Amino acid sequence: MPNDAFQPAALGPIRLRNRIIKAATFEGRTPDALVTDALIDFHRKVAEGGAALTTVAYCAVAPEGRTDRHQIWMRPEAVPGLRRLTDAVHEAGGAVSAQLGHAGPVANAASNRATALAPSRQFSPLSLRITRSATGADLRRIVTAHAEAARIAVEAGFDTVELHFGHNYLISSFLSPALNTRTDEYGGTLANRARLARQTADAVRTAVGDRIAVLAKFNMDDGVRGGFGIDESLSVAQWLAQDGALDALELTVGSSLLNPMYLFRGEVPLHEFAAQFPPPQRWGIRLFGRRFLRSYPYHEAYLLDTALRFRAELALPLVLLGGIASRAAVDTAMANGFEYVAMARALLHEPGLVNRMRADAAAETRCTHCNRCMPTIYQGTRCVLTTPVSDSAATR
């Protein structure tokens, strides 16, 4: 019998009020890499709107692992603000997750004022700088940093952590044969390329035990020629399941480094993106941006067919995302054996959508999938249709 999306459900050692998760979307409300009232209000609204779990993004495990220097990185100074945030979400009836990760080659070295790390030395189209090949010492430090960040998350009152194994952030980039040309124990064979992901998951589970749930956002397909594809991804997912460190996988696709729209689908807001940058980057985006921001048609539950291959081969609980924008799509996910669904753009447009879905089986989002929310991450992520002016402008 299919799961009921609107009934309480277990996620590892915790219990959630339903099976709907607010997916991680960088909120743009942390100007000093610390929690603000605007960030708390953002997640409180999601909890009040009925979602079981809201995900704070992005909580870097090291200062050089941020895509922007304004992002939170997990350190003792961040705990008081994070505790205020988790308390607010709990008071609204929801649970809260910290997305932990290291951006690796997706990190903005210019913004961070620190060289970005990658599996292999390469040019970054994001920061227009050369990345540095991570050493063995770097990788040991980063694995330890994930474990310490998870301990901080427990101290701050989080119910779960989500490990970022997608979108060609550091761990995802190690999985990619297109980005990882190493010849040491972290390169070459799939087992070697998967080593960093498995070590990180094990270190985090050891650090937190059964105090909180541990998920991973995991790429099924980079959407990049020569990158990490479905067959290899299935093998790594099976290894992660066998290792027993994770309570669930949230299935995703795409490369923030090389093909970001492969995840988002829908319209490409090229001019809005270009407007966020000074010349000459602005002119370059307008002239050549279509090569980077490629267009993919949107349809509801657009990752379902790919995710079904993982559902057929894994016993591990799975979270389906990608175009989950109606009660019908949620019910379809449940009917196909997925334990959870994750929503992002639909909840940016309407934080109370989950409550409306619970009350109305015909409910669907009014989001148009214009993707004009994406460039707003630089001033405070929002739906421009419902919130034309950022509610966090004063925090930047």
Side-chain angles (χ1 to χ4, degrees):
M1 183 174 178
N3 295 317
D4 184 336
F6 295 94
Q7 291 298 312
L11 177 59
I14 69 168
R15 193 156 183 83
L16 300 179
R17 61 182 173 183
N18 60 54
R19 296 176 180 269
I20 300 177
I21 296 170
K22 164 64 176 67
T25 50
F26 177 50
E27 306 92 345
R29 290 163 168 80
T30 53
D32 299 315
L34 295 168
V35 171
T36 60
D37 290 343
L39 182 69
I40 293 171
D41 187 57
F42 180 95
H43 288 284
R44 180 193 290 112
K45 287 179 180 177
V46 173
E48 290 172 344
L53 180 70
T54 185
T55 309
V56 179
Y58 162 74
C59 301
V61 301
E64 84 282 354
R66 295 173 287 176
T67 65
D68 178 280
R69 72 175 180 275
H70 300 292
Q71 290 173 330
I72 293 171
W73 64 278
M74 298 296 271
R75 61 205 193 278
E77 292 87 346
V79 171
L82 291 170
R83 170 59 76 173
R84 288 199 301 122
L85 190 158
T86 59
D87 285 347
V89 172
H90 293 152
E91 288 169 6
V96 57
S97 178
Q99 185 187 61
L100 305 181
H102 191 292
V106 180
N108 189 327
S111 176
N112 291 336
R113 304 183 182 103
T115 302
L117 299 177
S120 309
R121 191 172 184 268
Q122 59 197 259
F123 176 76
S124 169
L126 300 179
S127 63
L128 304 180
R129 297 188 181 190
I130 301 296
T131 63
R132 178 169 68 80
S133 178
T135 66
D138 289 324
L139 299 180
R140 289 189 293 273
R141 171 179 62 84
I142 289 166
V143 169
T144 299
H146 276 84
E148 182 56 32
R151 291 189 191 96
I152 290 172
V154 172
E155 180 184 353
F158 283 93
D159 303 282
T160 81
V161 292
E162 176 187 287
L163 308 180
H164 203 324
F165 291 178
H167 307 164
N168 286 165
Y169 281 46
L170 185 68
I171 290 173
S172 172
S173 68
F174 267 80
L175 292 167
S176 167
L179 297 174
N180 183 350
T181 59
R182 301 170 74 101
T183 57
D184 64 0
E185 62 180 331
Y186 290 97
T189 67
L190 180 60
N192 281 357
R193 287 184 276 121
R195 191 182 305 276
L196 183 60
R198 299 175 76 179
Q199 288 178 337
T200 299
D202 288 344
V204 168
R205 175 55 76 190
T206 298
V208 303
D210 62 358
R211 292 177 290 175
I212 62 173
V214 180
L215 297 81
K217 176 166 277 188
F218 181 72
N219 258 24
M220 299 184 288
D221 180 10
D222 290 353
V224 174
R225 181 174 296 181
F228 189 56
I230 294 172
D231 291 338
E232 286 195 330
S233 181
L234 275 167
S235 294
V236 176
Q238 289 167 338
W239 294 340
L240 289 168
Q242 292 164 8
D243 291 345
L246 299 176
D247 294 305
L249 282 178
E250 183 177 336
L251 300 173
T252 188
V253 298
S255 169
S256 297
L257 188 68
L258 300 171
N259 193 5
M261 294 306 296
Y262 194 64
L263 167 61
F264 292 100
R265 313 292 167 97
E267 297 178 36
V268 179
L270 188 63
H271 290 289
E272 289 86 348
F273 264 118
Q276 304 303 317
F277 296 90
Q281 288 169 286
R282 180 183 304 167
W283 305 327
I285 292 170
R286 287 177 176 171
L287 288 172
F288 305 110
R290 294 289 176 188
R291 299 181 185 178
F292 177 62
L293 296 170
R294 302 171 217 166
S295 178
Y296 294 92
Y298 175 92
H299 62 84
E300 195 164 73
Y302 53 80
L303 295 185
L304 175 62
D305 288 346
T306 304
L308 283 171
R309 292 187 58 181
F310 289 73
R311 181 68 292 163
E313 297 194 29
L314 294 170
L316 187 68
L318 299 178
V319 183
L320 179 69
L321 59 68
I324 307 300
S326 70
R327 173 68 183 267
V330 172
D331 291 342
T332 296
M334 297 296 110
N336 281 281
F338 294 92
E339 284 78 9
Y340 290 89
V341 296
M343 307 169 71
R345 286 169 291 184
L347 293 182
L348 282 178
H349 180 85
E350 182 186 352
L353 179 60
V354 177
N355 282 339
R356 189 159 63 86
M357 285 182 173
R358 180 186 291 107
D360 180 5
E364 58 184 39
T365 185
R366 301 182 184 102
C367 170
T368 65
H369 321 292
C370 68
N371 290 319
R372 288 163 60 199
C373 54
M374 294 171 63
T376 69
I377 65 173
Y378 302 100
Q379 296 91 24
T381 306
R382 67 194 189 280
C383 174
V384 300
L385 303 180
T386 58
T387 313
V389 178
S390 173
D391 62 2
S392 64
T395 73
R396 296 304 295 259

